[in-house]
Structure formats: structure tokens, C-alpha cells
Amino acid sequence: MQEAIRTILKEIGEDPTREGLVKTPDRVERAWKFITQGYHKDLNEIINNAIFHDEKNNNMVIVKDIELYSMCEHHLLPFYGRCHVGYIPNGRIIGLSKIPRIVDMFSRRLQIQERLTTQIAQTLQEILQANGVGVVIEAKHLCSMMRGVEKQNSAMVTSAMYGEFHDCAETRAEFLNLIGKS
Ligand SMILES: [Zn+2]
């Protein structure tokens, strides 16, 4: 990877041997390994048995404002923002700290925001067999902002709604209201 980064530095007209850049390939490699570590995460290890049975609770559970950092697969530039997750249990609940870790597992890869949203929602639905799952991501994309493609402050909002979140307008409205999106 370091050789490839030296090549990029040369191609943009830089001198990879100058003092400020000598260690850059090493730093970039380490940064890239960190921000793409999601490829090597194992879902079962993340969950680590933190699924609990609770037949009585079928109230909506929400984890909102989960910080999210990912990389656009079209430009290899970051997009970042917030992820909001809700579900309606059907006998299974998940330890709340696990949801941000599932978000990280999928966001620390090359992504497009639409697929990231779907992957998080589908994974939760598979694990929890819930009565409904809703995921909303609002993110800013440096690939558009830095290149002046969009207005600088515009954010992209994507959602994936399954089960009751999809079928029932009232449930969906309650979710959007609780995450401050209605
Ligand atoms: Zn992009």
C-alpha cells in the first residue's frame, strides 16, 4: 500500500522524499487500515451473546445520533453524519452498546450511503426477528462538498424501514418524531 501512496504523491506533482511526506505513506496505510477495519469484523463476535429474551417488552426501542464515518466507494472520500436506529422487539432485545458497533462494522468499509442504511437494517432484522426495524442516516459527503457539486451544507438522508415501520404509518411517524425528523 505504501508504494501505491508514493505513486499517488508523485502523480499529483509532489515529492515523496521531502521531509513532510517521508512518513506519509506509512501514516496513510495505518489510517486506511483503521477506517476499513469493518471488512474484518465478525458479527457474532460483536454480538457476543448480548441478545436477551424478553417476551413482555414490545415497545419501540431507539438509539439515535450514532456518530458515523464512512468512505464513499466512488471517490474514496469520507462521508460522515448520524445514524438513528429503531426497532420493535418480538421477544428478543439486543444490548444497546451493540447497535453502534454494528453501525461501525458496516460504515468502516467502502460504501454508498443507501447500501449502508440497508445493511444495518437487514442485519438487525435478521438478528432480532423484530416486528419492525427502522434506520435513518443523514450524512455529508466530502466528495460533493469539496468538489462543489452540491451546496456546501446539504446532507443526504436515507432510510430503510421494515415490518411495522414500513407497513404502519403511525409507527413510522412515531419513530421519525422521536429521532427529531418530523
Ligand atoms: Zn463520492
Side-chain angles (χ1 to χ4, degrees), residues 59-78:
N59 296 313
M60 191 182 295
V61 178
I62 288 180
V63 184
K64 65 175 192 175
D65 290 326
I66 301 166
E67 254 184 84
L68 175 142
Y69 297 94
S70 190
M71 294 293 273
C72 149
E73 71 181 18
H74 299 141
H75 301 93
L76 304 186
L77 286 169

Side-chain angles (χ1 to χ4, degrees), residues 2 38 41-43 59 67 79 83 87 91 108 115 118 122 131 141 154 168:
Q2 294 190 33
K41 295 286 179 193
D42 180 71
L43 185 61
N59 296 313
E67 254 184 84
F79 63 96
C83 178
Y87 71 97
R108 287 177 175 163
R115 184 178 63 221
T118 309
Q122 276 175 352
N131 286 330
H141 291 247
S154 64
C168 175

